[in-house]
Amino acid sequence: MVPAWLWLLCLSVPQTLLEAQPAELHVEVPENYGGNFPLYLTKLPLPRKKAGGQIVLSGNSDMAAEGPFAVDSESDFLLVTRTLDREEQAEYRLQVTLETEDGRVLWGPQPVLVHVKDENDQVPRFSQAVYRVRLSRGTRPGIPFLFLVASDGDEPGTANSDLRFHILNQAPAQPSSDMFQLEPRLGALALSPKGSTSLDQALEGPYKLLVQVKDMGDQASGHQATATIDVSIVESTWVPLDPVHLAENLKVLYPHHIAQVHWSGREVHYHLESQPHGLFDVDAEGKLYVTRELDREAQAEYLLQVRAQNTRGEDYTEPLELHVVVMDENDNVPICPPRGPTISIAELSPPGTKVTRLLAEDMDAPGSPNSHIVYRLLSSELEEGTEGRAFELDPTSGNVTLGAAPLQAGQNILLQVLAIDLGGAEGGLSSTCEVSVTITDINDHAPEFTTSQIEPVCLPEDTESGTLVATLMATDADLEPAFRLMDFAIEAGDEEGTFGLVWEPGSNHVQLRLLKNLSYEAAPSYQLVVVVRSVAEVVGPGPGPGATATVTVLVERVVPPPKLDQESYEASIPVSTPAGSLLLIIQPSDPMSNPLRFSLVNDSEGLLCIEEVSGEVHTARPLRGTRPGDVYTVLVEAQYADEPALRTSATLVIHFLKAPSAPAPTLASVPSRHLCTPRQDHGVIVSGPSEDPDLAGGHGPYSFALGPNPTVQRDWRLQPLNGSHAYLTLALHWVEPREHVVPVVVSHSARMWQLLVRVIVCRCNLEGQCMRKVGRMKGMPTKLSAVGILVGTLVAIGIFLILIFTHLTLARKKDLDQPVDSVPLKAAV
Ligand SMILES: *[C@@H]1O[C@H](CO)[C@@H](O)[C@H](O)[C@H]1NC(C)=O
Ligand SMILES: *[C@@H]1O[C@H](CO)[C@@H](O)[C@H](O)[C@H]1NC(C)=O
Ligand SMILES: *[C@@H]1O[C@H](CO)[C@@H](O)[C@H](O)[C@H]1NC(C)=O
Ligand SMILES: CC(=O)N[C@H]1CO[C@H](CO)[C@@H](O)[C@@H]1O
């Protein structure tokens, strides 16, 4: 055996020589070597030329000397001189150097590690000869309650020190022979499953176990030792814990002891689990602690688990649970709900209408008085003076409802409600909650006119359309602008649509305007009924009488002022004109109009007079004091006979002319003429004033015109013939048969005359001539006398007939019954 081992060593030498110099040499030496010494271990790789050097072998620092080692300087072999004990020293660290005498190192140092190879020369030993252990009932099987400790001096990690534990014997072997199990490698003693189930029937008395420890692992050979274990069975003290009640915010010294657990077995480690971690703790004696103040509102209950564990952290049995209940303290104030938006309540809402529900919260234990909140309405500003309460509050539910007192639209109310816990009892905590309420408007007011009776309005007939008649104002007691919008209408009294209403949308006044022309004849007055309504629908009773206004419109008749036929009048008269001479006639333009009354306004000289009814202007006195060429102007005024307030005026300008040498023939009457009606083709020749001495030799030229009287103008027509004559005929087909005086104005240069032509109008006979007057044929004769007279006188008549014929032709000219058409008569002026 040895030569073979040496041979192996020799093989390793060239290898080490080839290696780099500082590489450590490993050498193994068997423990308790039984052969001859010195035992050559290995050849050192010394250089061949060792000139003058000597080999020095030294141990490392912890070794006093090289001990049992030496180097054979001849062979360079490292050798050991005696047996080595691994249990004494397992390794030797050596160093080999080649040094000169004065200590200079020539080679090396070469480290050498000498390992002593183990031999199983040690016997395992239990730590105690007898182990005594308490085993609590209830320990789970397989959970070690005792760890056997044994040691073996041989090299660790080798089979020589690989220990196995075994139970050799159990006494008593009741109720089963293998109540226990022992882990062979670890020496952990536990109840076997069978032992666990039968432990209850087991004896009180201790069990004695003979146990063995053996090295060399599972090989049959090896050294062994034995020990005994006394196992006494004890009752379990691992009993359920009663719940612990802890007051929150408890002011005590912490950690504060709250409970105790105990595991009756040996070698117990208590372990506590709680959520959250760290609030509770357990000490080595099983005392449970709370480490700081608790807050019920943070966590009201805790479930702790306490475990009894062996040294390996395995539970001996089921963990114990501890229920910790945190007892409430009234440490939380009721919390008002966040103030929400303003609550809108429609006005006129009935009592009992729900406003809101106030729900304050209290974090204290639910169901306890600490969180029992009641509510109290703090007086709000509107309580004063009102009958009853505007709001009611249910103290338990917090319901706020409308009370009996009415509220006005537009009111904003801040309700303050006290929320108290402890059910309102003394010492309760309280908060003041606020609820803001606004009362919204509803359209409960119909608009009304401020005055329903308007003073009668007088409108002249000629009032222009569009004229403002009246302005009506209305009011609406509602607040909401949309509820104040009004609509106006004429409800009655204006079927023709003569009037209209004009208003701006949103305004509260309306204008009554005239739309059409008024007519006194058609409607002398109007009774207009104007109504106002709310545009939005009105809640509640309909419009009252104030929604109606009556406007009375009286139409005033407009009579136009009188109008004259000329805007101004002129007349030229000689200064010699006598008093009472007719100058002209002032007449209305419309002969059918109401009768007029005429007057002179400022005839300061008193020269003229006017006939009130006919309008004829005469000279009032002889025109003394006036000179030819003078002009005299007076104002003539005309007014209605029945309505004197309506009047008009015109100027009358009189031009004074030189007096004619002869007395003015102004009004000389012309002999009467005859004309028959219905009209025939006959007329009257009117001649100018041929006797005027100023016009010696020549007649005219004159101009002729009918007098201004409209009746004359209507009835007659005057046509000029030549410079000195004119022809007057009937203008109408029928003119009343009577004597007519037709005024004819003749003028020549600046002079003027007025002729009054008398014309007798009679009925025409068959020949178109005036009929003979019946009054001339007196005494109708009888038939006999008629015949006698006829015969007797026929002869006489025949004789005288020729005699008087010539006479008769001359007299014919003056016969009244004869027509005058072909016989012009000279009108002597
Ligand atoms: C309070 O109001 C709630 C609903 O808002 C209702 O269910 C409850 O019955 C009311 N309580 C009382 C006392 O009126
Ligand atoms: C109303 O009167 C005016 C003036 O008097 C007139 O111009 C207008 O034509 C009249 N309108 C009607 C519809 O009669
Ligand atoms: C009369 O009144 C008119 C108009 O006012 C005036 O032109 C005239 O001169 C007046 N005549 C006299 C005599 O005062
Ligand atoms: C100047 C002149 O011719 N005068 C005559 C106008 O007409 C009348 C009637 O026909 C005559 O008699 C005038 O001689």
Side-chain angles (χ1 to χ4, degrees):
M1 190 170 174
V2 174
W5 176 78
L6 270 178
W7 179 74
L8 271 174
L9 276 178
C10 292
L11 271 180
S12 69
V13 170
Q15 279 182 319
T16 54
L17 282 175
L18 288 175
E19 281 169 15
Q21 194 186 7
E24 196 177 46
L25 280 177
H26 287 250
V27 181
E28 211 166 52
V29 181
E31 184 185 17
N32 306 327
Y33 178 64
N36 295 327
F37 286 95
L39 172 65
Y40 287 80
L41 295 180
T42 184
K43 185 176 166 59
L44 296 170
L46 288 166
R48 283 195 209 282
K49 288 181 275 149
K50 293 179 274 188
Q54 63 186 108
I55 299 167
V56 178
L57 178 67
S58 59
N60 52 3
S61 56
D62 59 336
M63 221 184 293
E66 63 274 20
F69 297 97
V71 177
D72 178 28
S73 55
E74 305 250 318
S75 61
D76 292 354
F77 260 81
L78 178 70
L79 46 86
V80 62
T81 56
R82 57 170 174 86
T83 58
L84 298 178
D85 183 6
R86 194 206 65 84
E87 282 70 38
E88 187 188 318
Q89 187 163 352
E91 277 178 346
Y92 297 87
R93 283 185 187 278
L94 304 176
Q95 217 164 264
V96 182
T97 50
L98 193 62
E99 296 177 6
T100 56
E101 273 182 20
D102 52 354
R104 197 161 50 87
V105 176
L106 296 174
W107 176 87
Q110 166 67 52
V112 179
L113 180 66
V114 179
H115 181 75
V116 183
K117 188 174 162 54
D118 187 45
E119 193 195 36
N120 191 12
D121 58 346
Q122 298 291 317
V123 177
R125 288 160 47 127
F126 277 107
S127 59
Q128 289 171 247
V130 179
Y131 295 90
R132 293 178 210 288
V133 61
R134 287 191 312 275
L135 174 61
S136 172
R137 291 186 200 271
T139 304
R140 291 197 292 192
I143 304 298
F145 58 90
L146 175 66
F147 290 90
L148 296 174
V149 179
S151 58
D152 188 305
D154 287 319
E155 184 172 5
T158 63
N160 298 344
S161 64
D162 188 8
L163 303 182
R164 293 291 183 274
F165 296 91
H166 297 286
I167 298 172
L168 297 179
N169 183 36
Q170 173 199 326
Q174 284 177 353
S176 138
S177 60
D178 47 359
M179 296 280 286
F180 302 95
Q181 62 187 38
L182 187 58
E183 261 186 60
R185 286 166 190 272
L186 299 173
L189 181 66
L191 272 176
S192 67
K194 199 185 277 177
S196 167
T197 52
S198 57
L199 193 61
D200 288 345
Q201 308 127 41
L203 302 171
E204 289 279 322
Y207 284 88
K208 235 181 226 317
L209 296 179
L210 183 64
V211 291
Q212 180 207 52
V213 63
K214 185 190 79 68
D215 62 11
M216 293 305 285
D218 293 325
Q219 296 174 33
S221 61
H223 303 286
Q224 61 97 24
T226 57
T228 49
I229 308 173
D230 282 349
V231 180
S232 51
I233 309 295
V234 295
E235 288 304 315
S236 172
T237 52
W238 199 247
V239 288
L241 296 165
D242 290 331
V244 173
H245 288 84
L246 273 178
E248 64 173 329
N249 311 321
L250 191 62
K251 307 289 184 223
V252 291
L253 208 60
Y254 288 90
H256 174 63
H257 177 239
I258 54 169
Q260 168 86 55
V261 293
H262 182 249
W263 177 252
S264 48
R266 72 182 280 280
E267 285 278 355
V268 65
H269 297 276
Y270 298 105
H271 178 79
L272 184 137
E273 284 171 15
S274 69
Q275 203 63 268
H277 188 75
L279 208 49
F280 297 92
D281 203 2
V282 63
D283 69 4
E285 275 89 52
K287 286 183 176 167
L288 300 178
Y289 296 94
V290 59
T291 57
R292 55 177 185 263
E293 283 181 31
L294 298 179
D295 180 11
R296 193 208 65 81
E297 285 69 44
Q299 187 163 344
E301 292 184 1
Y302 297 88
L303 190 63
L304 312 182
Q305 282 196 329
V306 192
R307 295 169 190 275
Q309 295 178 332
N310 65 12
T311 46
R312 273 199 335 211
E314 292 164 319
D315 289 0
Y316 283 123
T317 184
E318 298 299 321
L320 281 186
E321 290 193 339
L322 176 62
H323 197 202
V324 177
V325 178
V326 187
M327 289 186 298
D328 188 42
E329 191 186 53
N330 190 20
D331 57 345
N332 281 281
V333 174
I335 298 166
C336 293
R339 191 161 152 193
T342 299
I343 297 161
S344 295
I345 298 290
E347 66 169 328
L348 301 183
S349 295
T353 300
K354 192 184 168 195
V355 177
T356 184
R357 182 172 189 185
L358 203 71
L359 265 185
E361 274 187 37
D362 194 304
M363 300 298 287
D364 287 321
S368 76
N370 293 345
S371 65
H372 178 207
I373 301 175
V374 296
Y375 301 92
R376 239 171 255 163
L377 188 63
L378 297 178
S379 68
S380 58
E381 64 269 32
L382 58 122
E383 296 292 340
E384 287 113 46
T386 50
E387 277 297 309
R389 286 167 151 259
F391 293 93
E392 298 285 353
L393 172 70
D394 183 59
T396 52
S397 69
N399 284 357
V400 181
T401 52
L402 286 186
L407 289 164
Q408 303 288 314
Q411 264 184 300
N412 291 311
I413 302 132
L414 187 67
L415 290 178
Q416 291 192 315
V417 176
L418 197 65
I420 320 162
D421 63 12
L422 292 184
E426 189 86 9
L429 303 174
S430 67
S431 298
T432 304
C433 310
E434 292 188 337
V435 176
S436 64
V437 178
T438 184
I439 309 299
T440 57
D441 192 27
I442 61 167
N443 194 12
D444 59 335
H445 289 100
E448 297 196 338
F449 286 112
T450 48
T451 50
S452 59
Q453 205 64 42
I454 314 285
E455 288 286 301
V457 181
C458 294
L459 289 181
E461 246 180 330
D462 58 355
T463 305
E464 276 182 30
S465 71
T467 302
L468 175 66
V469 179
T471 300
L472 303 177
M473 299 278 295
T475 57
D476 191 311
D478 286 315
L479 296 178
E480 193 68 33
F483 298 156
R484 297 168 59 89
L485 293 182
M486 303 171 191
D487 238 347
F488 299 92
I490 300 177
E491 202 178 55
D494 184 33
E495 284 71 28
E496 305 291 323
T498 311
F499 297 91
L501 296 172
V502 181
W503 73 94
E504 296 265 315
S507 88
N508 63 344
H509 55 267
V510 63
Q511 293 183 335
L512 178 66
R513 285 185 181 273
L514 186 65
L515 296 185
K516 293 183 176 172
N517 288 352
L518 292 170
S519 162
Y520 178 83
E521 280 76 22
S525 72
Y526 293 88
Q527 191 87 9
L528 302 172
V529 180
V530 183
V531 292
V532 58
R533 294 188 192 91
S534 180
V535 171
E537 199 177 332
V538 175
V539 179
T548 307
T550 307
V551 183
T552 304
V553 177
L554 302 176
V555 181
E556 280 178 351
R557 162 174 231 147
V558 174
V559 181
K563 205 171 167 205
L564 299 177
D565 58 346
Q566 292 179 36
E567 283 178 2
S568 64
Y569 295 86
E570 280 191 48
S572 303
I573 49 170
V575 291
S576 59
T577 307
S581 303
L582 176 67
L583 298 186
L584 50 90
I585 302 173
I586 291 174
Q587 300 176 102
S589 63
D590 176 11
M592 305 308 288
S593 75
N594 289 349
L596 297 179
R597 294 287 177 269
F598 300 94
S599 59
L600 293 172
V601 176
N602 60 353
D603 181 20
S604 53
E605 302 286 324
L607 287 183
L608 304 171
C609 65
I610 190 162
E611 232 173 83
E612 202 187 3
V613 176
S614 68
E616 288 177 7
V617 180
H618 299 268
T619 49
R621 63 173 175 87
L623 307 179
R624 274 186 304 277
T626 61
R627 282 166 306 172
D630 280 357
V631 176
Y632 184 64
T633 308
V634 290
L635 212 54
V636 180
E637 197 174 74
Q639 59 197 86
Y640 284 117
D642 52 355
E643 221 160 333
L646 292 175
R647 59 182 68 192
T648 189
S649 58
T651 51
L652 169 57
V653 182
I654 309 286
H655 300 274
F656 294 106
L657 306 174
K658 209 169 89 181
S661 51
T666 317
L667 278 176
S669 285
V670 179
S672 301
R673 318 289 171 81
H674 288 77
L675 283 177
C676 81
T677 184
R679 190 182 66 196
Q680 304 291 324
D681 297 332
H682 302 301
V684 175
I685 297 281
V686 179
S687 79
S690 57
E691 291 82 6
D692 188 352
D694 293 349
L695 295 169
H699 300 287
Y702 297 104
S703 59
F704 298 86
L706 284 171
N709 188 319
T711 318
V712 173
Q713 303 249 353
R714 182 191 65 193
D715 293 353
W716 301 92
R717 182 182 303 148
L718 189 66
Q719 291 167 292
L721 275 181
N722 51 30
S724 59
H725 292 77
Y727 195 50
L728 181 69
T729 54
L730 287 176
L732 297 181
H733 184 68
W734 173 263
V735 174
E736 192 186 349
R738 64 173 169 86
E739 188 186 65
H740 293 259
V741 177
V742 183
V744 173
V745 178
V746 185
S747 55
H748 169 68
S749 59
R751 294 186 55 189
M752 235 178 153
W753 298 264
Q754 183 160 340
L755 310 181
L756 294 179
V757 182
R758 308 175 81 85
V759 181
I760 293 165
V761 177
C762 59
R763 287 174 196 276
C764 290
N765 61 12
L766 283 176
E767 287 82 38
Q769 295 172 343
C770 266
M771 283 203 290
R772 203 172 278 277
K773 277 183 182 161
V774 178
R776 280 188 165 259
M777 299 160 80
K778 292 175 188 171
M780 276 285 271
T782 62
K783 282 180 182 172
L784 276 175
S785 62
V787 172
I789 291 167
L790 193 65
V791 174
T793 58
L794 267 175
V795 179
I797 291 169
I799 298 167
F800 285 109
L801 206 59
I802 299 159
L803 289 176
I804 63 172
F805 184 75
T806 321
H807 226 77
L808 272 174
T809 47
L810 292 170
R812 210 169 164 179
K813 280 181 184 174
K814 290 179 180 179
D815 196 334
L816 283 174
D817 289 338
Q818 289 300 309
V820 293
D821 52 350
S822 58
V823 187
L825 288 173
K826 226 177 233 177
V829 182

